Amino acid sequence: MKMTSEEKAHLYARSSFFVFAQEWNKSDDRKKVVEAIVKDQKFDPLNYDLPKLDPDVFKKGSKSKRQALRKTWRQQALEINAIWIRKMITTKYAFQERMTLFWTGHFACRTIDNPYFTLDLNNKLRKHALGNFRDLLVEVAKSPAMINYLHLKQNKKGKPNEDFARELCELFTLGRDVDYTEKDVMEIARAFTGWTYNFNGEHVVNPRQHDDGEKTIFGKTGRYTGEDVLDMILENPHTADFIAKKVYLEFVQQELNDQHVRELSNVLFQSNYSIKTMMTYLFEADWFYEAKAKRLKSPIELLVGLGRMFELEFQDAKSLFRIQKVLGQVLFDPPNVAGWPGGRSWIDASRLAFRLRLGALITNKGVVEVELTPELDEMLSQKTKKQKALQLFEEVDWEKFFRKQKTLTAPEMVLQTIESDQHHVSEELKADNIIQLLSTPDFQLI
Amino acid sequence: MDRRRFLKQTGIITAGTLLVPSFLRANGLLNGFERNGKRLVIIQLSGGNDGLNTVVPYGIDAYHQNRNSLAYQLSEILKVNEKFGLHPALKGFYDLQQKGHLSIINSVGYPNPNRSHFRSMDIWHTGSDANEYWSSGWLGRYLDKNCNHAYEAIEFSGELSLAMKGEHQAGIAISNPNAFYKTMNSEFFQQMTKPKSKNEELNYVYRIFNDTRNSAEYIYDQYRLKENRSDYANHNFGQQLKKIATLIKSDIRTPVFYASLGGFDTHVNQKNSQNRLLGQLDSGFSDFINDLSKEGLMKDTTVLIFSEFGRRLKENASRGTDHGAANALFIIDSDLSSNAHSLNNIDLDNLEKGDPKFQVDFRSIYQELLSHRLKVDAKAVLGKTFDGIGLFA
């Protein structure tokens, strides 16, 4: 099937944040372009050197020592947060990172206080981002981060804690109240009793805490373990429905089309939960291309998109963190286990005002005040409180920027998403024009 | 290429848009505004204020037994009745309570309390059950059903609280009306008009964009109508309330305001820090009440003061307290049915995981604020009906 450059722009924007036109696959066959993107990915772990944990600090260490350690941890987690954003900007495997970003919202887990949990879970999501959903689910369920976040450590024989069991069904697999009962939740909690991790961060089942008695789950009775339950959940096609729906919302649009979700779900289920197969199907579908510019960019998509466009380095982790906070999406710090609600909830009046000016702030070599407010005029006024201002953005190399866009005109490239009949600019544009384009409401869409 | 031609070609403007009239004036919406109910001011105490040392149960033995270093004695507090008194810093609150304009509501919470700040604050903001995750706030859903503009719910902060976000409509967070107006009404933004599009998302962004511009202009206009010469305590909380009072005195069409005071997470050496914070709360709030009362505006104003949870009855080893559950809250209003609802309704000998059990669901308070003060269908906002406690006369 023939592929237009508009369709390519859409595909690259949605799958890879932003890619310069000259780096697009040259084929004009949709199947080939999709294949090239999907095949070109690889697990490239996020690296950060963390010292080996000393178990004694937490068992015997003084209060002040533990407090100091917590502070260090928070700083390290903050750095990992910035490193991930930089990685999304510079990586060759942008689609793998884009999928990792999707899964970090799906398997929402607050790890911002713990760099060990953060790094471990993030790399697990990255490793299986385009792999098999079963492997991904098992790895997440066994990760210290999730075990800690959803109180699996407190889930003991005779004293079950249902937190994990409930969210597993409601938010990770089947969807709220789909094919499970309160009784199932209680019995599933029993199957996961004893799940914990050792000091090396490896998953273990503590036999003394594990309830190996008979459980009745989804109408079947047996001495089920946690992994048995995961398989039973995956046998239910409604799990594929739920994942397909989440993928549709993230990669297509907020307005659900039941038929298209069903198609995705069937592909996922019939391929035995191959994420790559589902995504390939999605990117080849005509209806994927009809959704052009019909999604609001998430804050991270917006930031990373700008970062890739202007090759920004975002050197100051703290400022980057503050920007995420104002935009309403801090990596490793979702609002709760349900993740970021997304869609139109990304913007309200104050956030939109900030988002509209973000491009100008970045490309004007702006500085960010220590007290970040949505009023960017205050932030941009470099004269006032200069000593309090943090340098966030480096100078944009405009020459390089204009050199890189040869195939498309600048507005088409910046607004890869805007409706085609709205812009026909062929003349050479200046930096000012680009900044104005970045400041349009249209730029908020992808 | 000149800028105007460029913008035209990029579809950002169409001819003649420099003369876009402000839609507010064009539609005459500013004329003849009449509020149905009262205006609501929400004050959030972030971090989990220790209700047991705010509404002090000095007459209950278990209180003294569990709080060796933190307990207040009768001689120190502002006595309300034979069992309870207010924290010594709350003099202004005590006056209001004695006049019958403030009600103390004890043991407010929800079933299966969550002791995480984030989670419990979310539950208070959204009005969900403890095992539900809602993405819209209770005031936001009020806005969804009854309002059309961001300026109808205002918060003076850098970030809009979840409580103020609905599914379709949200309030606005600003810190400086002047700077916000200038940002949103720069020449460039003035030239941008909504394209004719079938793309609902694009239309949505432009709707929020136009509303943001109009709200910024309206708030700015109202804000400078009359300089607020009243003295306010010189701390951030006092200044937030001063800005709110300035707008209220301008007769702004805003039914909901939100302010917050943080730092109540008093795990260590609680007495000093809570004393300082409640002092700020009392001074800022008293200035606010005086300011509005002078102009007779308190009769149209109801205030709710809450925190995400109370604290453990038993103090910890650092002269502080840890996260708890049910808590005391305050309602300020000129037509209350009592100055103490459910005040004595607390049982310190019968705890749940170390905390007093909740007796009043916080959503029953929301329900009464919505139906009796904002005069709207509370069930449509809260999703279900709660037992009322008859707050208002």
Side-chain angles (χ1 to χ4, degrees):
Chain A
M1 181 160 334
K2 281 275 184 201
M3 192 174 198
T4 64
S5 61
E6 263 185 50
E7 287 174 342
K8 273 192 200 175
H10 176 64
L11 174 63
Y12 278 97
R14 291 274 178 104
S15 67
S16 313
F17 303 103
F18 173 87
V19 177
F20 279 101
Q22 68 173 35
E23 288 158 23
W24 295 349
N25 185 284
K26 299 288 180 284
S27 169
D28 59 3
D29 182 82
R30 189 190 285 171
K31 263 197 146 103
K32 280 194 180 135
V33 179
V34 171
E35 193 189 339
I37 292 178
V38 173
K39 263 207 174 144
D40 227 13
Q41 306 305 315
K42 145 181 164 185
F43 169 53
D44 176 29
L46 190 150
N47 294 311
Y48 184 80
D49 273 337
L50 285 167
K52 203 171 151 47
L53 261 187
D54 176 8
D56 286 347
V57 179
F58 271 87
K59 284 178 185 153
K60 299 178 213 148
S62 67
K63 197 168 178 180
S64 61
K65 237 183 178 167
R66 273 178 292 155
Q67 273 173 351
L69 187 65
R70 280 208 190 89
K71 205 175 158 194
T72 310
W73 278 14
R74 220 185 133 70
Q75 278 164 0
Q76 289 166 333
L78 206 70
E79 279 172 45
I80 297 174
N81 170 299
I83 290 171
W84 188 16
I85 292 180
R86 289 180 209 130
K87 187 179 179 69
M88 289 190 250
I89 292 170
T90 54
T91 182
K92 279 191 280 181
Y93 314 111
F95 180 40
Q96 189 108 10
E97 293 305 316
R98 182 65 189 81
M99 288 304 291
T100 310
L101 179 64
F102 166 66
W103 293 118
T104 208
H106 180 76
F107 291 111
C109 183
R110 187 172 191 277
T111 59
I112 194 77
D113 294 322
N114 186 319
Y116 297 87
F117 288 173
T118 299
L119 194 62
D120 179 68
L121 181 60
N122 184 247
N123 275 329
K124 281 175 175 157
L125 297 177
R126 180 172 290 104
K127 185 172 175 194
H128 299 286
L130 280 164
N132 186 285
F133 181 70
R134 183 191 187 276
D135 298 338
L136 178 63
L137 181 65
V138 172
E139 283 269 40
V140 169
K142 290 182 172 178
S143 69
M146 203 55 92
I147 286 173
N148 184 66
Y149 186 55
L150 294 180
H151 306 101
L152 265 180
K153 271 200 294 191
Q154 287 91 323
N155 185 30
K156 295 172 182 172
K157 184 178 179 176
K159 264 174 56 185
N161 181 310
E162 294 167 12
D163 201 7
F164 176 81
R166 184 179 308 281
E167 309 315 357
L168 169 69
C169 297
E170 179 181 330
L171 297 168
F172 298 161
T173 58
L174 289 164
R176 190 175 173 94
D177 298 332
V178 175
D179 293 351
Y180 67 94
T181 62
E182 277 300 303
K183 187 83 188 13
D184 287 326
V185 170
M186 288 159 68
E187 295 284 282
I188 290 171
R190 287 180 58 215
F192 282 95
T193 46
W195 278 43
T196 184
Y197 52 90
N198 63 22
F199 238 94
N200 298 320
E202 294 150 354
H203 172 255
V204 287
V205 181
N206 182 339
R208 277 172 309 171
Q209 306 287 8
H210 181 67
D211 179 349
D212 66 352
E214 279 197 341
K215 295 119 192 157
T216 301
I217 297 169
F218 306 137
K220 291 184 198 159
T221 304
R223 296 159 75 101
Y224 299 123
T225 64
E227 270 194 72
D228 292 336
V229 172
L230 297 180
D231 282 328
M232 290 163 84
I233 286 176
L234 290 163
E235 278 164 24
N236 188 334
H238 285 139
T239 293
D241 288 347
F242 186 67
I243 301 304
K245 189 175 141 193
K246 294 279 291 265
V247 165
Y248 189 91
L249 290 170
E250 176 100 355
F251 289 94
V252 187
Q253 60 191 14
Q254 287 290 304
E255 198 186 322
L256 288 172
N257 178 311
D258 292 341
Q259 171 57 31
H260 299 160
V261 173
R262 212 171 306 127
E263 289 171 30
L264 279 182
S265 170
N266 286 342
V267 172
L268 182 64
F269 193 72
Q270 278 158 18
S271 68
N272 226 337
Y273 287 98
S274 160
I275 300 164
K276 196 181 277 181
T277 308
M278 170 179 57
M279 295 310 291
T280 303
Y281 182 88
L282 169 65
F283 292 151
E284 288 178 359
D286 286 337
W287 44 263
F288 170 72
Y289 295 90
E290 286 158 17
K292 187 172 161 124
K294 291 194 173 150
R295 262 187 64 236
L296 267 163
K297 286 174 187 163
S298 70
I300 298 297
E301 281 181 288
L302 181 69
L303 260 180
V304 172
L306 284 166
R308 291 174 70 91
M309 204 176 281
F310 299 104
E311 296 175 44
L312 304 171
E313 287 172 22
F314 290 121
Q315 280 174 3
D316 186 69
K318 255 191 173 158
S319 299
L320 200 49
F321 176 78
R322 283 197 204 98
I323 287 194
Q324 291 172 65
K325 208 153 159 30
V326 174
L327 291 173
Q329 187 181 28
V330 180
L331 295 176
F332 312 129
D333 193 7
N336 53 55
V337 60
W340 294 280
R344 292 183 175 184
S345 79
W346 287 128
I347 59 166
D348 53 51
S350 332
R351 277 192 190 149
L352 180 62
F354 185 87
R355 287 173 65 137
L356 287 174
R357 300 297 303 277
L358 188 64
L361 173 71
I362 286 176
T363 48
N364 270 341
K365 200 183 170 192
V367 289
V368 176
E369 293 288 332
V370 173
E371 289 298 324
L372 194 65
T373 68
E375 290 89 341
L376 280 170
D377 269 359
E378 278 182 290
M379 305 194 334
L380 287 166
S381 63
Q382 298 181 32
K383 283 165 232 154
T384 58
K385 297 180 194 162
K386 201 164 186 180
Q387 66 283 7
K388 268 178 86 184
L390 294 166
Q391 185 69 47
L392 176 60
F393 303 113
E394 51 273 40
E395 199 140 16
V396 165
D397 186 345
W398 284 105
E399 229 176 88
K400 194 169 173 193
F401 174 84
F402 284 113
R403 214 169 42 238
K404 276 211 168 187
Q405 53 90 24
K406 281 179 187 155
T407 330
L408 288 185
T409 61
E412 279 172 319
M413 200 206 55
V414 173
L415 305 177
Q416 282 190 347
T417 53
I418 90 171
E419 283 148 77
S420 56
D421 57 338
Q422 285 199 19
H423 55 92
H424 295 288
V425 179
S426 50
E427 292 170 60
E428 182 78 1
L429 295 169
K430 296 195 200 80
D432 277 0
N433 303 137
I434 299 299
I435 293 173
Q436 287 169 355
L437 281 169
L438 299 177
S439 311
T440 57
D442 306 64
F443 186 66
Q444 299 302 317
L445 297 169
I446 188 163
Chain B
M1 178 169 56
D2 77 18
R3 196 162 143 278
R4 201 172 153 75
R5 207 173 119 225
F6 162 76
L7 288 170
K8 232 169 156 174
Q9 284 179 325
T10 50
I12 292 163
I13 55 165
T14 48
T17 51
L18 278 170
L19 298 168
V20 184
S22 159
F23 94 115
L24 284 169
R25 293 205 176 80
N27 294 322
L29 287 174
L30 287 175
N31 304 325
F33 166 64
E34 273 180 45
R35 217 180 359 263
N36 261 337
K38 295 193 177 193
R39 74 179 69 78
L40 194 58
V41 179
I42 312 288
I43 295 176
Q44 170 180 310
L45 308 179
S46 313
N49 177 37
D50 181 18
L52 290 166
N53 266 15
T54 304
V55 178
V56 180
Y58 76 91
I60 300 178
D61 290 343
Y63 169 69
H64 297 278
Q65 286 155 10
N66 284 288
R67 296 212 162 180
N68 290 332
S69 75
L70 291 179
Y72 284 106
Q73 306 302 323
L74 173 60
S75 58
E76 298 170 281
I77 52 135
L78 306 160
K79 181 179 165 184
V80 171
N81 68 15
E82 290 311 312
K83 270 188 182 167
F84 296 92
L86 289 180
H87 184 281
L90 297 176
K91 295 190 182 68
F93 281 76
Y94 184 67
D95 282 348
L96 281 171
Q97 200 263 346
Q98 294 297 305
K99 282 185 205 153
H101 293 160
L102 179 147
S103 175
I104 304 166
I105 307 159
N106 231 341
S107 308
V108 185
Y110 52 89
N112 304 311
N114 194 300
R115 289 167 179 80
S116 140
H117 293 292
F118 311 98
R119 190 59 200 129
S120 196
M121 193 59 98
D122 274 4
I123 290 166
W124 275 84
H125 277 221
T126 60
S128 76
D129 284 339
N131 63 355
E132 293 174 315
Y133 300 97
W134 290 4
S135 55
S136 65
W138 70 286
L139 296 164
R141 290 192 302 277
Y142 155 78
L143 298 172
D144 278 344
K145 296 194 168 61
N146 304 284
C147 303
N148 297 305
H149 306 294
Y151 66 75
E152 289 175 273
I154 298 175
E155 173 171 3
F156 283 101
S157 74
E159 211 188 331
L160 191 70
S161 295
L162 176 57
M164 306 266 272
K165 290 179 196 203
E167 305 279 346
H168 322 287
Q169 189 63 44
I172 190 165
I174 50 176
S175 24
N176 180 339
N178 187 22
F180 196 59
Y181 168 73
K182 283 188 180 148
T183 300
M184 289 313 297
N185 286 276
S186 62
E187 196 192 338
F188 176 67
F189 281 153
Q190 279 184 21
Q191 290 175 340
M192 242 184 269
T193 51
K194 189 176 160 302
K196 283 198 187 88
S197 172
K198 284 183 194 150
N199 182 342
E200 286 304 318
E201 287 312 296
L202 187 68
N203 291 337
Y204 177 76
V205 182
Y206 270 93
R207 180 170 85 72
I208 301 293
F209 170 69
N210 286 328
D211 186 37
T212 305
R213 280 193 48 214
N214 287 316
S215 290
E217 182 179 356
Y218 177 52
I219 293 169
Y220 172 66
D221 284 348
Q222 293 298 115
Y223 193 74
R224 58 190 191 138
L225 267 184
K226 211 161 70 179
E227 193 189 344
N228 192 345
R229 292 177 190 278
S230 305
D231 273 336
Y232 272 75
N234 191 24
H235 44 67
N236 177 288
F237 177 68
Q239 295 306 308
Q240 281 180 60
L241 291 185
K242 182 174 183 176
K243 289 174 187 168
I244 290 174
T246 307
L247 289 178
I248 290 177
K249 291 202 283 188
S250 79
D251 202 22
I252 193 169
R253 299 157 31 92
T254 302
V256 177
F257 295 92
Y258 207 98
S260 51
L261 173 61
F264 285 94
D265 196 17
T266 49
H267 289 281
V268 182
N269 294 330
Q270 171 176 304
K271 217 159 196 173
N272 285 341
S273 47
Q274 198 198 21
N275 197 35
R276 179 176 55 81
L277 290 168
L278 292 181
Q280 288 190 5
L281 176 67
D282 192 79
S283 61
F285 191 64
S286 300
D287 293 338
F288 180 70
I289 295 288
N290 293 336
D291 195 9
L292 293 188
S293 298
K294 269 189 293 187
E295 306 201 13
L297 290 165
M298 273 315 288
K299 67 174 176 16
D300 295 325
T301 307
T302 301
V303 185
L304 161 70
I305 303 179
F306 81 98
S307 192
E308 71 266 37
F309 45 60
R311 303 190 81 84
R312 190 77 27 100
L313 170 62
K314 192 165 180 54
E315 67 178 52
N316 64 25
S318 319
R319 295 200 170 91
T321 52
D322 297 322
H323 300 181
N327 205 1
L329 63 73
F330 298 125
I331 296 278
I332 294 87
D333 184 273
S334 56
D335 295 294
L336 291 162
S337 64
S338 158
N339 64 358
H341 294 87
S342 142
L343 176 59
N344 297 311
N345 207 357
I346 188 168
D347 185 353
L348 298 187
D349 296 312
N350 191 3
L351 304 174
E352 191 179 271
K353 294 184 184 165
D355 300 313
K357 288 179 189 156
F358 92 97
Q359 308 289 344
V360 176
D361 195 299
F362 70 103
R363 291 162 294 188
S364 60
I365 312 271
Y366 290 177
Q367 177 176 286
E368 297 194 15
L369 291 171
L370 288 162
S371 53
H372 300 302
R373 287 302 177 253
L374 293 173
K375 307 259 189 206
V376 296
D377 178 5
K379 197 181 168 196
V381 171
L382 299 174
K384 51 187 169 186
T385 307
F386 296 86
D387 291 337
I389 62 165
L391 273 178
F392 302 111

